[in-house]
Amino acid sequence: EAGVAQSPRYKIIEKRQSVAFWCNPISGHATLYWYQQILGQGPKLLIQFQNNGVVDDSQLPKDRFSAERLKGVDSTLKIQPAKLEDSAVYLCASSRRTGGNTEAFFGQGTRLTVV
Amino acid sequence: SQQGEEDPQALSIQEGENATMNCSYKTSINNLQWYRQNSGRGLVHLILIRSNEREKHSGRLRVTLDTSKKSSSLLITASRAADTASYFCATVKDAGNQFYFGTGTSLTVIP
């Protein structure tokens, strides 16, 4: 099966600019996640979707970050305006279902550099 | 924080040796999973252990889970240079299937 697709792979922007990342999960996967991974740290969950509904966005900085998953398939994550501390790799992942005992499949990530 | 913590932060061994890394967490869990991340890549699932299991094997991997101590360990036997990567534990708290990752162990296997 095709994996989780993310684009772009790399993005460099100036602070206060806006940026958007795109994710296409594995076909049939109901659950989609966005993670932020700062260099040298573990991935931090930003938002989790179940189909097109939000399950958990407790760690999403809602004043500048937004995410949507229209039609329960593709998803976009937006940052507006970006800050220097947003420099990180943004990882998208998907899993088949809720109910535990299932693994997450990750895309290769988008490396964001804010200058 | 719901994140786990791995130790050591970094581990360097010779090819053929065994590598052990540990994960501690704070909350009750449904299951615990281990993932591997090569430099510049996404994470890849290695193994899942349920909260009612104590030990699990998969190839050269052996995972243990002690829910009373809220800890897990990952053992990689007969390591290879290709095992060089960062390893993360992820706790899954309940049926909501939120994955919370630890801080990771960076493993270097020297040929």
Side-chain angles (χ1 to χ4, degrees), chain A residues 25-33 49-53 69 72-73 94-98:
Chain A
I26 293 173
S27 177
H29 281 196
T31 309
L32 184 146
Y33 313 82
F49 292 95
Q50 174 71 11
N51 295 310
N52 60 350
R69 190 183 184 195
V73 183
S94 67
S95 66
R96 288 189 180 89
R97 54 177 171 80
T98 54

Side-chain angles (χ1 to χ4, degrees), chain B:
Chain B
S1 169
Q2 292 170 308
Q3 284 187 304
E5 288 189 11
E6 284 94 333
D7 81 273
Q9 285 191 326
L11 179 60
S12 184
I13 59 174
Q14 296 288 329
E15 200 165 32
E17 293 181 336
N18 295 342
T20 299
M21 49 206 88
N22 304 294
C23 169
S24 59
Y25 57 92
K26 297 179 180 177
T27 63
S28 61
I29 60 171
N30 177 287
N31 66 78
L32 185 144
Q33 304 182 23
W34 285 88
Y35 287 77
R36 163 193 169 132
Q37 185 177 37
N38 288 82
S39 180
R41 310 294 292 269
L43 284 79
V44 176
H45 178 263
L46 294 176
I47 193 165
L48 179 155
I49 186 165
R50 295 178 174 81
S51 59
N52 62 353
E53 297 176 315
R54 291 296 167 259
E55 187 172 312
K56 201 162 182 180
H57 297 254
S58 176
R60 295 185 295 114
L61 304 180
R62 173 180 169 252
V63 171
T64 62
L65 179 64
D66 186 335
T67 53
S68 66
K69 295 181 179 178
K70 291 186 168 58
S71 67
S72 174
S73 67
L74 172 67
L75 168 67
I76 304 173
T77 60
S79 63
R80 306 166 182 168
D83 294 329
T84 295
S86 291
Y87 292 82
F88 296 89
C89 67
T91 54
V92 181
K93 186 179 177 184
D94 54 30
N97 226 34
Q98 282 107 21
F99 296 80
Y100 294 100
F101 286 86
T103 50
T105 292
S106 177
L107 173 66
T108 301
V109 181
I110 303 166

Side-chain angles (χ1 to χ4, degrees), chain A residues 100-115:
Chain A
N101 298 319
T102 187
E103 66 191 85
F105 294 82
F106 282 81
Q108 298 217 51
T110 296
R111 183 177 298 276
L112 174 67
T113 302
V114 182
V115 298

Side-chain angles (χ1 to χ4, degrees), chain A residues 68-103:
Chain A
E68 60 182 9
R69 190 183 184 195
L70 299 176
K71 301 180 182 178
V73 183
D74 292 10
S75 177
T76 55
L77 176 69
K78 297 179 182 178
I79 307 175
Q80 180 180 9
K83 293 184 176 181
L84 296 176
E85 59 260 37
D86 297 332
S87 293
V89 175
Y90 290 84
L91 295 164
C92 179
S94 67
S95 66
R96 288 189 180 89
R97 54 177 171 80
T98 54
N101 298 319
T102 187
E103 66 191 85

Side-chain angles (χ1 to χ4, degrees), chain A residues 47-60:
Chain A
I47 189 167
Q48 177 187 353
F49 292 95
Q50 174 71 11
N51 295 310
N52 60 350
V54 175
V55 174
D56 183 354
D57 63 356
S58 58
Q59 299 191 93
L60 186 73

